[in-house]
């Protein structure tokens, strides 16, 4: 599986600009994916369906991503990375604009599925793309920079989109996302490096899956995402049930996201130095915060505090898990990313869908309880998989012409910029 860059970055400044562009793309996609969570009441009332059905817009999104990521990643694996990124951003623009003007629920579902079809392809390539823009010793930080877009989406995207939805209507929120998508298309076309894809046209999933530790990483990812999205998909009605007024839900989500930025920052520091300790601490805190959210009732301050702790701990996990996958399968990093994305979206699909069933049949009190059990199971996987999946220190070498690496690449970035 060979991935090559045409030329080399003209400067560290250009590498930073490229990482920021990828960061904004990550921000856009995660906001698009999760924004319905903050707008459940408004979208439910506007479309005349239940809140659990609006929650299924997240579940359907994850299901399509789960089903098409591997074949579409393989089909587009030879595309130059800039071309692929820009094409995907165009799809997100179309999806958000269609959703903004959707006349009824069925059209909203179609709009969501359009973006879902390319979501996993983008995330399968972004981490390895980011690592090829920087020296090897900064690879973990590059991944953390891109994944900070996840937390920024929770910090700014979802709360701001929720606030706009409350003030101007939920359609305006998605209209704004469509406009941002178009701006990212322009930025990607002019600022990103020209980096080739996989020469063979294959992504080597079998190679990645046979790598020691990958199975444990995939399992831990699926469990922790299942835990988080069982609860977080329905956090808006949960907070209202715990005494948080509807108008203040966006503020709690903002605090959740701010804590997430701190979590991503910490992950960026620890991912290349103490990855196992960081994983154990993050997964453990997610478990404990879910336990607390399952027991606290009638105490809005406690609910908000525990939500902030959850945001801090959860936000670190995508960076830590993605980095673990890349380092466990250095000879097939795009494939390892694809497997990570599959596990990630399996957790989202099952969590948002299962959470909706729990909400409908058992009640909102059970959401954090079930999530706590699942998070505890993920933590146990991390504890047991200490040799290959989550060692104390992970090392990886990268070859200039493949998805694997060599020591020659320890100083210079692989990808290079071409003139536009």
């Amino acid at each position: 599986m060979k991935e090559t860059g045409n030329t080399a970055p003209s400067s560290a400044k250009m590498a930073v600009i490229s990482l920021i562009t990828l960061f904004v793309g990550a921000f856009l996609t995660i906001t698009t994916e999760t924004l319905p969570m903050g707008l459940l009441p408004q979208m439910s009332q506007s479309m005349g369906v239940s809140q659990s059905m609006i929650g299924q817009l997240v579940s359907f999104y994850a299901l399509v991503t789960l089903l098409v990521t591997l074949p579409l990643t393989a089909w587009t694996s030879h595309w130059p990375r800039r071309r692929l990124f820009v094409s995907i951003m165009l799809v997100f623009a179309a999806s958000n604009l269609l959703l903004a003007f959707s006349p009824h629920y069925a059209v909203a579902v179609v709009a969501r599925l359009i973006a879902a079809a390319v979501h996993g392809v983008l995330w399968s390539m972004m981490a390895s793309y980011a690592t090829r823009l920087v020296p090897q010793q900064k690879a973990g930080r590059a991944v953390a920079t891109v994944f900070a877009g996840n937390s920024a989406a929770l910090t700014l995207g979802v709360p701001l989109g929720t606030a706009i939805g409350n003030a101007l209507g939920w359609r305006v929120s998605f209209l704004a996302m469509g406009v941002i998508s178009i701006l990212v298309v322009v930025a990607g076309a002019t600022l990103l490096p020209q980096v080739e894809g996989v020469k063979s046209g294959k992504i080597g999933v079998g190679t990645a899956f046979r790598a020691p530790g990958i199975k444990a990483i995939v399992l831990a990812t699926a469990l922790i995402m299942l835990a988080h999205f069982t609860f977080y998909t329905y956090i808006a009605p949960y907070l209202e049930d715990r005494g948080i007024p509807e108008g203040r839900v966006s503020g709690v989500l903002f605090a959740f996201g701010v804590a997430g930025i701190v979590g991503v920052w910490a992950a960026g520091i620890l991912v290349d130095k103490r990855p196992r300790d960081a994983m154990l601490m993050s997964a453990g805190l997610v478990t404990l915060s879910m336990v607390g959210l399952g027991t606290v009732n009638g105490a809005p301050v406690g609910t908000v505090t525990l939500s902030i702790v959850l945001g801090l701990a959860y936000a670190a996990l995508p960076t830590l898990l993605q980095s673990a996958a890349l380092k466990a399968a250095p000879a097939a990093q795009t494939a390892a990313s694809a497997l990570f994305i599959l596990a990630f979206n399996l957790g989202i699909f099952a969590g948002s869908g299962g959470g909706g069933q729990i909400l409908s049949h058992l009640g909102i009190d059970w959401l954090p309880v079930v999530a706590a059990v699942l998070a505890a199971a993920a933590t146990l996987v991390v504890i047991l998989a200490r040799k290959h999946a989550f060692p104390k220190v992970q090392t990886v070498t990268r070859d200039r012409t493949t998805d694997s690496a060599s020591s020659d690449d320890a100083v210079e970035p692989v990808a290079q910029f071409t003139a536009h």
Side-chain angles (χ1 to χ4, degrees):
M1 173 180 168
K2 296 187 176 182
E3 297 184 37
T4 63
N6 297 351
T7 50
S10 56
S11 68
K13 180 180 178 180
M14 290 302 297
V16 170
I17 290 173
S18 291
L19 288 175
I20 291 173
T21 303
L22 294 178
F23 163 88
V24 176
F27 168 87
L28 171 70
T29 59
I30 298 300
T31 301
T32 296
E33 181 179 22
T34 58
L35 186 53
M37 299 176 188
L39 297 171
L40 282 176
Q42 298 94 321
M43 294 181 72
S44 171
Q45 184 176 6
S46 172
M47 293 188 175
V49 298
S50 67
Q51 291 189 17
S52 62
M53 286 188 69
I54 297 299
Q56 299 312 306
L57 290 177
V58 179
S59 180
F60 294 152
Y61 189 108
L63 176 60
V64 171
T65 300
L66 183 67
L67 293 175
V68 306
T69 291
L70 283 180
L72 283 185
T73 298
W75 180 57
T76 59
S77 61
H78 66 285
W79 288 23
R81 303 294 88 176
R82 181 174 62 196
R83 173 188 169 192
L84 182 57
F85 180 86
V86 170
S87 298
I88 290 173
M89 289 300 104
L90 281 171
V91 173
F92 270 91
S95 170
N96 281 307
L97 292 174
L98 179 60
L99 182 56
F101 294 102
S102 58
H104 45 72
Y105 183 76
V107 177
V109 171
V110 172
R112 295 286 291 172
L113 300 189
I114 290 172
V118 297
H119 183 103
V121 179
L122 179 71
W123 282 92
S124 293
M125 70 88 163
M126 275 207 300
S128 60
Y129 193 1
T131 62
R132 295 165 68 196
L133 303 175
V134 299
Q136 178 183 341
Q137 64 269 24
K138 295 182 180 179
R141 294 182 187 179
V143 173
T145 298
V146 174
F147 272 81
N150 189 320
S151 293
L154 301 178
T155 304
L156 299 175
V158 175
L160 183 59
T162 301
I164 292 173
N166 288 334
L168 303 175
W170 66 268
R171 295 180 188 276
V172 178
S173 297
F174 286 101
L175 178 61
M177 293 301 299
V179 173
I180 293 172
S181 303
I182 295 172
L183 295 177
V184 176
V185 167
V186 176
T190 56
L191 298 176
L192 283 178
Q194 186 65 287
V195 177
E196 294 179 4
V198 182
K199 284 188 173 181
S200 65
K202 300 178 181 179
I203 59 170
V205 172
T207 300
F209 199 68
R210 288 191 295 271
I214 281 291
K215 296 181 183 66
I217 294 168
V218 167
L219 178 58
T221 300
L223 285 170
I224 203 69
M225 294 306 119
L226 179 59
H228 181 70
F229 283 93
T230 293
F231 172 75
Y232 188 75
T233 304
Y234 305 95
I235 191 171
Y238 171 85
L239 291 173
E240 291 179 22
D241 182 76
R242 291 303 190 262
I244 310 296
E246 179 179 328
R248 295 185 180 180
V249 168
S250 60
V252 177
L253 295 179
F254 179 79
F256 180 99
V258 169
I261 288 180
V262 176
V264 171
W265 172 77
I269 293 175
L270 297 174
V271 66
D272 291 322
K273 298 177 181 178
R274 303 182 66 182
R276 179 171 176 79
D277 291 342
M279 269 299 308
L280 287 171
M281 182 178 298
S282 298
L285 280 176
V286 167
T287 303
L288 292 176
S289 60
M290 289 295 188
V291 170
L293 288 165
T295 56
V296 172
N297 197 355
V301 173
T303 298
V304 172
T305 300
L306 288 166
S307 297
I308 291 172
V309 173
L310 176 62
L312 173 72
Y314 166 75
L317 288 168
T319 295
L320 297 170
L321 289 163
Q322 172 78 85
S323 182
L326 292 176
K327 293 174 180 178
Q333 289 189 331
T334 299
S337 290
L339 290 172
F340 167 78
I341 293 302
L342 285 176
F344 197 102
N345 282 279
L346 175 61
I348 295 175
F349 167 67
S352 56
Q357 295 301 310
I358 293 170
L359 180 63
S360 298
H361 296 96
L362 298 177
I364 206 162
D365 291 341
W366 280 91
L367 292 175
V369 174
V370 174
V373 174
L374 293 167
T379 304
L380 180 60
V381 172
V382 176
I383 291 172
L384 295 176
R386 60 183 176 272
K387 185 175 181 181
H388 297 293
F390 304 104
K392 286 187 176 181
V393 178
Q394 290 172 309
T395 59
V396 62
T397 57
R398 184 172 65 219
D399 189 286
R400 284 176 175 270
T401 59
T402 68
D403 225 5
S404 59
S406 80
S407 59
D408 322 11
D409 202 28
V411 179
E412 295 182 5
V414 174
Q416 298 184 353
F417 288 78
T418 59
H420 297 284

